[in-house]
Amino acid sequence: MRALLWACLALWAGQASALSLEDYLDQPERYGQVLLMRHAMAPGTGDPGDFELGNCASQRNLDARGQAQAIATGERLSAAGFAPQVIATSPWCRCHQTARLLALGEPEVDMGLASFFQGHVQRADTLAAFDALLGRIGERSAILVTHFVVISAVAGRSPASGGLVAFNPRTQESWSID
């Protein structure tokens, strides 16, 4: 019985921090102006042993499902009226592919969104660059396409591939977007 109670409380807590895209867009002063997005579906985990940052052929890339997922997310954001003033992406090809397929504007590459999962870059360097990116964004609206580890580190969220997280840089609060 106690386990059931804890499971229900955990489910409730997760739901309490979920947010619709429409609610997010209606209250930017509360929820912040930054959307974090985990890159769309790219089968596998991590990167191959011959990984090179500037060489997409040596990386995990979006498959057809991931491409369709990124396009659908971009269409959903556009239909809801989300027009970010800043679009930034990790230098990893799967993130850049996702950002371009959103069709919300031309993305800029930023090391503050780089994955430190396999040690290709250092966690501290990514997080310092992330803070600098937020400083450059200021009060502008933004979508930042990045990796699970970055979103988890800065927002404490665990989005699925293609998932969105609202992030308020002033309060450091975050909400998963349904």
Side-chain angles (χ1 to χ4, degrees):
M1 184 68 170
R2 180 173 268 162
L4 180 59
L5 177 61
W6 282 113
C8 289
L9 285 172
L11 180 60
W12 175 79
Q15 292 300 325
S17 61
L19 183 67
S20 74
L21 179 59
E22 293 72 22
D23 286 344
Y24 165 74
L25 293 172
D26 285 345
Q27 299 182 57
E29 66 285 346
R30 170 149 195 252
Y31 299 117
Q33 75 283 10
V34 175
L35 274 182
L36 301 171
M37 180 179 183
R38 182 176 176 192
H39 62 77
M41 182 71 74
T45 303
D47 285 295
D50 63 346
F51 171 86
E52 291 177 42
L53 189 54
N55 180 359
C56 291
S58 72
Q59 301 180 31
R60 277 192 313 124
N61 294 295
L62 303 186
D63 64 4
R65 292 176 302 157
Q67 293 169 8
Q69 183 182 40
I71 292 167
T73 298
E75 290 171 350
R76 177 179 174 219
L77 291 168
S78 290
F82 182 66
Q85 296 163 299
V86 176
I87 303 159
T89 178
S90 162
W92 269 244
C93 295
R94 57 187 170 271
C95 291
H96 198 261
Q97 292 166 339
T98 299
R100 290 191 60 112
L101 289 170
L102 292 173
L104 297 172
E106 189 61 32
E108 63 184 69
V109 173
D110 196 283
M111 289 304 290
L113 302 171
S115 176
F116 45 84
F117 177 63
Q118 292 174 286
H120 297 297
V121 297
Q122 296 301 307
R123 183 181 196 273
D125 294 342
T126 294
L127 297 180
F130 181 83
D131 287 341
L133 172 61
L134 290 180
R136 290 190 306 278
I137 290 170
E139 296 298 316
R140 296 179 294 163
S141 62
I143 187 163
L144 310 178
V145 182
T146 187
H147 306 267
F148 176 91
V149 294
V150 176
I151 296 171
S152 178
V154 301
R157 301 284 166 185
S158 304
S161 293
L164 296 168
V165 172
F167 181 69
N168 186 327
R170 289 183 306 281
T171 65
Q172 301 292 299
E173 293 178 281
S174 64
W175 298 263
S176 297
I177 301 288
D178 290 335

